Amino acid sequence: MIQEELEHFAAGQLDELTPEAAMVLGDKELILASMNTSHDIHLGKIDGLEDKIVTNERKNFHSMMEKDRKDSVKRDRSRITEIGAIISRNKHEIEELLREMEP
């Protein structure tokens, strides 16, 4: 778009320009350099935001994985305790049955 305006200016097709605007448009390299600098600044901001998002997502992922690991350990310990209680209860019941069967 800016290229087209510069071409129109160079061809003398832009009539309603102030002297200041004509002076600025007359320096094509300055305009293109400014446009590239502006573009690079915007890309830098986008890259910075992307880095923040990626860092936050990694932190959230590691936090969730750590919580899941802790929950899994807690759940496993609970199940092991439950299995130990079942084994103990069954052992006592078997011992009682064996005592009852003795003459």
Side-chain angles (χ1 to χ4, degrees):
M1 185 169 134
I2 191 73
Q3 289 287 85
E4 292 174 7
E5 293 299 320
L6 288 171
E7 289 171 7
H8 289 301
F9 175 73
Q13 297 173 349
L14 296 177
D15 298 328
E16 300 175 14
L17 289 178
T18 63
E20 293 86 11
M23 185 177 72
V24 170
L25 287 175
D27 194 353
K28 182 178 178 180
E29 290 197 19
L30 175 66
I31 291 174
L32 293 177
S34 296
M35 186 176 69
N36 285 333
T37 301
S38 175
H39 181 69
D40 290 344
I41 289 171
H42 282 98
L43 289 178
K45 287 181 180 181
I46 290 170
D47 287 343
L49 289 174
E50 180 185 16
D51 290 344
K52 277 185 178 179
I53 290 169
V54 168
T55 300
N56 285 338
E57 286 302 313
R58 283 188 179 147
K59 189 168 79 173
N60 288 340
F61 171 76
H62 290 297
S63 174
M64 287 173 43
M65 292 304 293
E66 182 64 21
K67 181 184 179 304
D68 186 51
R69 187 191 66 77
K70 287 179 180 179
D71 289 346
S72 178
V73 167
K74 185 177 178 181
R75 187 175 52 247
D76 291 348
R77 286 183 180 166
S78 175
R79 287 181 180 164
I80 289 170
T81 302
E82 183 181 347
I83 290 169
I86 291 171
I87 290 171
S88 178
R89 187 181 71 229
N90 288 345
K91 182 179 177 182
H92 289 308
E93 287 178 6
I94 290 171
E95 288 173 354
E96 281 183 35
L97 287 173
L98 288 175
R99 272 186 255 142
E100 289 176 5
M101 293 176 66
E102 288 179 357

mmCIF file of all heavy atoms in Angstrom, residues 2-5 13 15 19 21 26 46-48 60 63 66 70 73 83 85 93:
data_model
loop_
_atom_site.group_PDB
_atom_site.id
_atom_site.type_symbol
_atom_site.label_atom_id
_atom_site.label_comp_id
_atom_site.label_asym_id
_atom_site.label_seq_id
_atom_site.Cartn_x
_atom_site.Cartn_y
_atom_site.Cartn_z
ATOM 1 N N ILE A 2 1.902 1.274 0.842
ATOM 2 C CA ILE A 2 2.773 2.446 0.874
ATOM 3 C C ILE A 2 3.541 2.563 -0.436
ATOM 4 O O ILE A 2 3.801 3.658 -0.913
ATOM 5 C CB ILE A 2 3.716 2.411 2.101
ATOM 6 C CG1 ILE A 2 4.431 3.751 2.301
ATOM 7 C CG2 ILE A 2 4.741 1.323 1.964
ATOM 8 C CD1 ILE A 2 3.554 4.817 2.819
ATOM 9 N N GLN A 3 3.888 1.417 -1.024
ATOM 10 C CA GLN A 3 4.581 1.422 -2.316
ATOM 11 C C GLN A 3 3.712 2.118 -3.369
ATOM 12 O O GLN A 3 4.213 2.907 -4.170
ATOM 13 C CB GLN A 3 4.890 -0.004 -2.771
ATOM 14 C CG GLN A 3 5.975 -0.699 -1.983
ATOM 15 C CD GLN A 3 7.340 -0.141 -2.302
ATOM 16 O OE1 GLN A 3 7.730 0.858 -1.711
ATOM 17 N NE2 GLN A 3 8.048 -0.759 -3.212
ATOM 18 N N GLU A 4 2.426 1.803 -3.372
ATOM 19 C CA GLU A 4 1.517 2.405 -4.349
ATOM 20 C C GLU A 4 1.437 3.910 -4.162
ATOM 21 O O GLU A 4 1.468 4.669 -5.147
ATOM 22 C CB GLU A 4 0.115 1.800 -4.207
ATOM 23 C CG GLU A 4 0.020 0.358 -4.613
ATOM 24 C CD GLU A 4 -1.351 -0.246 -4.326
ATOM 25 O OE1 GLU A 4 -2.269 0.511 -3.938
ATOM 26 O OE2 GLU A 4 -1.489 -1.465 -4.482
ATOM 27 N N GLU A 5 1.350 4.370 -2.911
ATOM 28 C CA GLU A 5 1.289 5.807 -2.642
ATOM 29 C C GLU A 5 2.566 6.506 -3.103
ATOM 30 O O GLU A 5 2.520 7.606 -3.664
ATOM 31 C CB GLU A 5 1.033 6.073 -1.157
ATOM 32 C CG GLU A 5 -0.341 5.639 -0.680
ATOM 33 C CD GLU A 5 -1.472 6.369 -1.399
ATOM 34 O OE1 GLU A 5 -1.355 7.585 -1.644
ATOM 35 O OE2 GLU A 5 -2.471 5.711 -1.716
ATOM 36 N N GLN A 13 0.565 12.132 -9.196
ATOM 37 C CA GLN A 13 -0.875 11.883 -9.153
ATOM 38 C C GLN A 13 -1.509 12.279 -7.820
ATOM 39 O O GLN A 13 -2.718 12.206 -7.671
ATOM 40 C CB GLN A 13 -1.173 10.411 -9.449
ATOM 41 C CG GLN A 13 -0.755 9.995 -10.844
ATOM 42 C CD GLN A 13 -0.899 8.494 -11.058
ATOM 43 O OE1 GLN A 13 -1.122 7.750 -10.115
ATOM 44 N NE2 GLN A 13 -0.755 8.077 -12.302
ATOM 45 N N ASP A 15 -2.432 15.218 -5.652
ATOM 46 C CA ASP A 15 -2.526 16.674 -5.768
ATOM 47 C C ASP A 15 -2.660 17.382 -4.430
ATOM 48 O O ASP A 15 -2.074 18.442 -4.215
ATOM 49 C CB ASP A 15 -3.729 17.053 -6.652
ATOM 50 C CG ASP A 15 -3.578 16.514 -8.059
ATOM 51 O OD1 ASP A 15 -2.423 16.418 -8.527
ATOM 52 O OD2 ASP A 15 -4.608 16.180 -8.671
ATOM 53 N N PRO A 19 3.048 20.802 1.924
ATOM 54 C CA PRO A 19 4.487 20.784 1.616
ATOM 55 C C PRO A 19 5.255 19.806 2.518
ATOM 56 O O PRO A 19 6.197 19.160 2.074
ATOM 57 C CB PRO A 19 4.936 22.223 1.871
ATOM 58 C CG PRO A 19 3.700 23.048 1.747
ATOM 59 C CD PRO A 19 2.561 22.168 2.152
ATOM 60 N N ALA A 21 4.047 16.979 3.812
ATOM 61 C CA ALA A 21 3.772 15.621 3.336
ATOM 62 C C ALA A 21 4.556 15.329 2.070
ATOM 63 O O ALA A 21 5.085 14.236 1.891
ATOM 64 C CB ALA A 21 2.275 15.438 3.088
ATOM 65 N N GLY A 26 8.843 12.449 -0.488
ATOM 66 C CA GLY A 26 9.957 12.567 -1.433
ATOM 67 C C GLY A 26 11.136 11.703 -1.051
ATOM 68 O O GLY A 26 11.932 11.327 -1.906
ATOM 69 N N ILE A 46 5.484 -9.303 19.170
ATOM 70 C CA ILE A 46 4.783 -10.581 18.998
ATOM 71 C C ILE A 46 5.643 -11.732 19.513
ATOM 72 O O ILE A 46 5.152 -12.621 20.211
ATOM 73 C CB ILE A 46 4.397 -10.793 17.522
ATOM 74 C CG1 ILE A 46 3.296 -9.807 17.121
ATOM 75 C CG2 ILE A 46 3.944 -12.228 17.272
ATOM 76 C CD1 ILE A 46 3.014 -9.761 15.635
ATOM 77 N N ASP A 47 6.945 -11.712 19.194
ATOM 78 C CA ASP A 47 7.849 -12.754 19.688
ATOM 79 C C ASP A 47 7.920 -12.748 21.207
ATOM 80 O O ASP A 47 7.958 -13.808 21.844
ATOM 81 C CB ASP A 47 9.246 -12.575 19.096
ATOM 82 C CG ASP A 47 9.318 -12.962 17.628
ATOM 83 O OD1 ASP A 47 8.396 -13.655 17.148
ATOM 84 O OD2 ASP A 47 10.304 -12.559 16.958
ATOM 85 N N GLY A 48 7.944 -11.548 21.793
ATOM 86 C CA GLY A 48 7.980 -11.447 23.250
ATOM 87 C C GLY A 48 6.733 -12.038 23.886
ATOM 88 O O GLY A 48 6.810 -12.758 24.887
ATOM 89 N N ASN A 60 2.645 -24.135 33.676
ATOM 90 C CA ASN A 60 1.360 -24.752 34.030
ATOM 91 C C ASN A 60 1.395 -26.258 33.809
ATOM 92 O O ASN A 60 0.872 -27.025 34.620
ATOM 93 C CB ASN A 60 0.229 -24.139 33.206
ATOM 94 C CG ASN A 60 -0.095 -22.727 33.629
ATOM 95 O OD1 ASN A 60 0.228 -22.317 34.738
ATOM 96 N ND2 ASN A 60 -0.729 -21.984 32.742
ATOM 97 N N SER A 63 3.437 -27.873 36.545
ATOM 98 C CA SER A 63 2.672 -27.813 37.786
ATOM 99 C C SER A 63 1.585 -28.882 37.804
ATOM 100 O O SER A 63 1.401 -29.580 38.812
ATOM 101 C CB SER A 63 2.057 -26.425 37.940
ATOM 102 O OG SER A 63 1.215 -26.372 39.050
ATOM 103 N N GLU A 66 3.175 -32.335 38.224
ATOM 104 C CA GLU A 66 3.622 -32.556 39.599
ATOM 105 C C GLU A 66 2.432 -32.869 40.509
ATOM 106 O O GLU A 66 2.497 -33.776 41.342
ATOM 107 C CB GLU A 66 4.392 -31.334 40.108
ATOM 108 C CG GLU A 66 4.927 -31.489 41.515
ATOM 109 C CD GLU A 66 5.956 -32.588 41.659
ATOM 110 O OE1 GLU A 66 6.572 -33.004 40.662
ATOM 111 O OE2 GLU A 66 6.138 -33.057 42.800
ATOM 112 N N LYS A 70 1.804 -36.368 42.548
ATOM 113 C CA LYS A 70 1.542 -36.430 43.990
ATOM 114 C C LYS A 70 0.213 -37.128 44.273
ATOM 115 O O LYS A 70 0.122 -37.940 45.205
ATOM 116 C CB LYS A 70 1.532 -35.032 44.590
ATOM 117 C CG LYS A 70 2.903 -34.420 44.701
ATOM 118 C CD LYS A 70 2.846 -33.025 45.285
ATOM 119 C CE LYS A 70 4.233 -32.422 45.380
ATOM 120 N NZ LYS A 70 4.200 -31.054 45.917
ATOM 121 N N VAL A 73 0.713 -40.872 43.790
ATOM 122 C CA VAL A 73 1.430 -41.479 44.923
ATOM 123 C C VAL A 73 0.480 -41.648 46.104
ATOM 124 O O VAL A 73 0.437 -42.710 46.744
ATOM 125 C CB VAL A 73 2.656 -40.618 45.305
ATOM 126 C CG1 VAL A 73 3.224 -41.043 46.651
ATOM 127 C CG2 VAL A 73 3.719 -40.689 44.232
ATOM 128 N N ILE A 83 -5.226 -52.828 50.628
ATOM 129 C CA ILE A 83 -4.887 -54.233 50.333
ATOM 130 C C ILE A 83 -4.314 -54.902 51.584
ATOM 131 O O ILE A 83 -4.653 -56.052 51.906
ATOM 132 C CB ILE A 83 -3.896 -54.317 49.150
ATOM 133 C CG1 ILE A 83 -4.612 -53.927 47.853
ATOM 134 C CG2 ILE A 83 -3.295 -55.717 49.033
ATOM 135 C CD1 ILE A 83 -3.683 -53.726 46.659
ATOM 136 N N ALA A 85 -4.981 -54.165 54.667
ATOM 137 C CA ALA A 85 -6.086 -54.392 55.603
ATOM 138 C C ALA A 85 -6.909 -55.600 55.169
ATOM 139 O O ALA A 85 -7.322 -56.414 56.017
ATOM 140 C CB ALA A 85 -6.971 -53.146 55.678
ATOM 141 N N GLU A 93 -9.720 -64.194 59.530
ATOM 142 C CA GLU A 93 -10.909 -65.022 59.292
ATOM 143 C C GLU A 93 -10.520 -66.473 59.031
ATOM 144 O O GLU A 93 -11.180 -67.401 59.522
ATOM 145 C CB GLU A 93 -11.719 -64.471 58.110
ATOM 146 C CG GLU A 93 -12.461 -63.192 58.433
ATOM 147 C CD GLU A 93 -13.222 -62.638 57.227
ATOM 148 O OE1 GLU A 93 -13.271 -63.303 56.172
ATOM 149 O OE2 GLU A 93 -13.756 -61.520 57.347
#
